[in-house]
Amino acid sequence: MERRKCIVIPCLTCAFVLIFYVFQTDVNTFPFFEVFDNQMKYESTAKRNYSTKNTSFSFKGKNIPVVSKKDRNESTAKIFLKQTRFTFTTKGKYEPTTRSSLKQTRKGMIISTINPAISAVRNNSNNNTHFLCPNFMGGFGNMMFQLAAHFGVAMSKGMRVIIANNSELNRVFKLEDIDIRNNIDICKTFISRGEKQNCAYDKNILNFNNSQNIRLGQYLQSWKYFYDFRSQLRKQFTFRDLILQEAKSKIVQTVKRFNIGSTRDITLVGVHVRRGDMVNHKFGYNIATPEYLTKAVQYYKSKYKNIIFIIASQDIPWTKANMPNNTNVEYLDSPKREIIVATLSLCNHTITTVGSFSWWIGWLTGGEVTYFKWPAKEGSGLRKQYSKDFSDFYYPGWIGM
């Protein structure tokens, strides 16, 4: 009996060890901690935004591989470069072509690589997310700046933007990562923070934490508020289907009417000429000159062939009188500003003049953008609203003339 115990106990011990080893090995084959560690490193890197302004290349995300033990000790930058590939873009060469949401599946587990700020908001089960709420002022371009600035700040702080369901921007764009509400009376209780200059970046306005509900004011016309999140912002500024269909129809009709080559060989340059209430305005507006318009047209004609200039203006007689001769020109007749913006944004390049409406047409279009360098008269009240060299207002890579 005693001898049998001596045999059975070691056998049971061996069996137990063998079973434990099998299960332990199976558990360890699922690299949960490696995937999690890799994900944290990727999201930390994404916050910093490695794209460089004034550059023509950008990256497209790939499925993120599991980080090996050897690679765990490498720098975040090296890991990031391993996980991305760089590609050159022709349209909008100053903009990245990042995918807003990549997914990696491993043994039934989905790892989202969506921007960490959006993830923080969407996954906040404790409902502790705080909000930013624009106080829309001015025209269409002004409102786009105000929403863009609030969106960029919200992204950087892991907050969320609230706007009204009946707002004009919600009618025009598919605002996927914005909190759309029928009633925004809650915004009246938010803390207001005002900027020093309407057309310059004010870093002090951002000195608050995400445990407060905030309204930023007033016009917020600087690309610096949202530059780090420009890819996500472009997704918000996606035109609604009916608007985009009408814009595409106008482009197709224009190309057919000129019949100067295949669609692939034609270069479309959108032109927005702002005059109207800015002419002789006492606040200090400078309107674009005929010389600027001629110089901008010649710039594109010297670089591209088969150009069609598609023009929108509230002062068509002045524009017709000052457009260079021997130029293929199409004038938009739509009174709807959302159709004007959508149509011109489908062009390859843009000639802007002055004003926020022109600015956003150039930004949405991408490609090459020219602008009139002197939008405000020296010594005027308007000039004080800009930074010293206008660089806070005009987008990096645009061509001043």
Side-chain angles (χ1 to χ4, degrees):
M1 189 68 179
E2 198 67 34
R3 186 176 180 181
R4 289 179 181 177
K5 287 182 179 180
C6 293
I7 297 174
V8 170
I9 291 174
C11 290
L12 290 174
T13 302
C14 291
F16 176 81
V17 171
L18 182 61
I19 292 171
F20 177 82
Y21 176 80
V22 170
F23 278 96
Q24 183 69 14
T25 302
D26 185 59
V27 171
N28 287 336
T29 57
F30 180 69
F32 174 81
F33 292 103
E34 291 185 8
V35 173
F36 180 80
D37 182 55
N38 179 45
Q39 179 65 14
M40 293 300 290
K41 288 180 178 179
Y42 177 83
E43 291 188 350
S44 175
T45 306
K47 286 183 180 179
R48 299 193 191 113
N49 192 337
Y50 279 82
S51 62
T52 306
K53 66 181 181 180
N54 293 338
T55 183
S56 59
F57 63 83
S58 55
F59 67 86
K60 291 185 177 179
K62 297 171 65 176
N63 283 344
I64 303 171
V66 176
V67 179
S68 66
K69 292 181 179 179
K70 178 182 178 181
D71 289 338
R72 285 187 191 180
N73 295 323
E74 288 192 15
S75 68
T76 305
K78 287 184 179 180
I79 293 172
F80 177 77
L81 291 173
K82 284 184 177 181
Q83 295 167 353
T84 58
R85 60 190 173 88
F86 290 85
T87 180
F88 286 86
T89 58
T90 55
K91 183 176 181 181
K93 65 180 181 178
Y94 298 105
E95 297 301 322
T97 54
T98 55
R99 297 176 185 174
S100 61
S101 177
L102 306 174
K103 290 185 177 180
Q104 177 189 28
T105 305
R106 186 174 181 85
K107 293 192 176 183
M109 184 178 182
I110 297 177
I111 308 297
S112 173
T113 61
I114 197 167
N115 183 279
I118 292 181
S119 294
V121 171
R122 287 181 176 173
N123 300 328
N124 195 321
S125 58
N126 295 325
N127 197 29
N128 290 328
T129 301
H130 285 74
F131 299 92
L132 293 169
C133 186
N135 182 23
F136 290 124
M137 303 170 62
F140 193 79
N142 297 138
M143 291 187 287
M144 288 185 71
F145 262 117
Q146 290 151 27
L147 179 59
H150 278 79
F151 181 81
V153 174
M155 290 286 289
S156 69
K157 293 179 178 289
M159 301 173 73
R160 195 151 176 89
V161 179
I162 297 174
I163 71 167
N165 184 45
N166 63 356
S167 67
E168 185 172 5
L169 294 185
N170 186 47
R171 179 179 62 83
V172 175
F173 299 112
K174 299 177 180 179
L175 304 175
E176 296 186 7
D177 294 308
I178 305 290
D179 194 331
I180 310 296
R181 300 189 182 186
N182 291 326
N183 188 323
I184 61 168
D185 285 346
I186 188 176
C187 294
K188 297 177 182 178
T189 67
F190 288 10
I191 300 170
S192 295
R193 297 182 63 84
E195 64 185 356
K196 292 182 179 179
Q197 297 167 280
N198 291 330
C199 303
Y201 178 70
D202 183 0
K203 64 179 181 180
N204 293 323
I205 201 176
L206 309 181
N207 288 338
F208 64 90
N209 58 51
N210 61 3
S211 64
Q212 300 172 297
N213 292 320
I214 299 293
R215 303 194 86 163
L216 302 176
Q218 289 69 36
Y219 288 95
L220 305 167
Q221 294 188 17
S222 175
W223 55 270
K224 293 183 178 181
Y225 289 114
F226 53 83
Y227 186 78
D228 287 344
F229 302 97
R230 57 198 180 278
S231 296
Q232 294 89 337
L233 181 62
R234 283 189 179 278
K235 184 179 178 182
Q236 309 314 304
F237 287 152
T238 300
F239 291 98
R240 294 196 177 274
D241 294 340
L242 291 178
I243 295 173
L244 192 58
Q245 287 172 12
E246 185 172 345
K248 287 181 177 179
S249 176
K250 290 182 178 294
I251 293 292
V252 170
Q253 292 172 14
T254 298
V255 172
K256 286 183 178 179
R257 188 170 74 82
F258 281 93
N259 192 28
I260 57 176
S262 67
T263 305
R264 290 178 297 179
D265 297 330
I266 293 175
T267 298
L268 300 177
V269 178
V271 183
H272 180 257
V273 179
R274 173 69 186 273
R275 289 175 58 80
D277 60 338
M278 287 188 176
V279 180
N280 298 321
H281 198 290
K282 294 181 180 180
F283 192 48
Y285 292 101
N286 263 340
I287 54 176
T289 63
E291 292 76 18
Y292 162 75
L293 196 59
T294 299
K295 192 173 182 180
V297 168
Q298 292 303 324
Y299 171 80
Y300 288 109
K301 291 180 73 173
S302 68
K303 294 188 67 174
Y304 304 100
K305 296 180 179 180
N306 298 332
I307 300 179
I308 301 174
F309 293 91
I310 302 180
I311 301 176
S313 175
Q314 292 176 317
D315 193 343
I316 293 296
W318 184 93
T319 307
K320 286 183 175 180
N322 290 283
M323 275 295 291
N325 297 327
N326 302 320
T327 302
N328 297 319
V329 174
E330 176 78 0
Y331 290 93
L332 290 180
D333 56 3
S334 176
K336 298 179 181 179
R337 50 191 178 183
E338 65 270 21
I339 300 301
I340 292 173
V341 176
T343 304
L344 295 186
S345 72
L346 294 175
C347 295
N348 303 105
H349 311 286
T350 308
I351 296 175
T352 70
T353 48
V354 292
S356 57
F357 191 81
S358 237
W359 195 102
W360 281 105
I361 291 172
W363 191 87
L364 290 173
T365 304
E368 293 191 85
V369 178
T370 64
Y371 65 89
F372 183 59
K373 287 195 297 184
W374 315 112
K377 296 177 181 178
E378 290 298 324
S380 66
L382 178 63
R383 181 64 184 90
K384 295 176 182 178
Q385 299 302 316
Y386 289 89
S387 58
K388 185 177 181 180
D389 56 358
F390 298 100
S391 61
D392 284 5
F393 178 76
Y394 287 116
Y395 204 64
W398 288 4
I399 305 163
M401 295 182 177

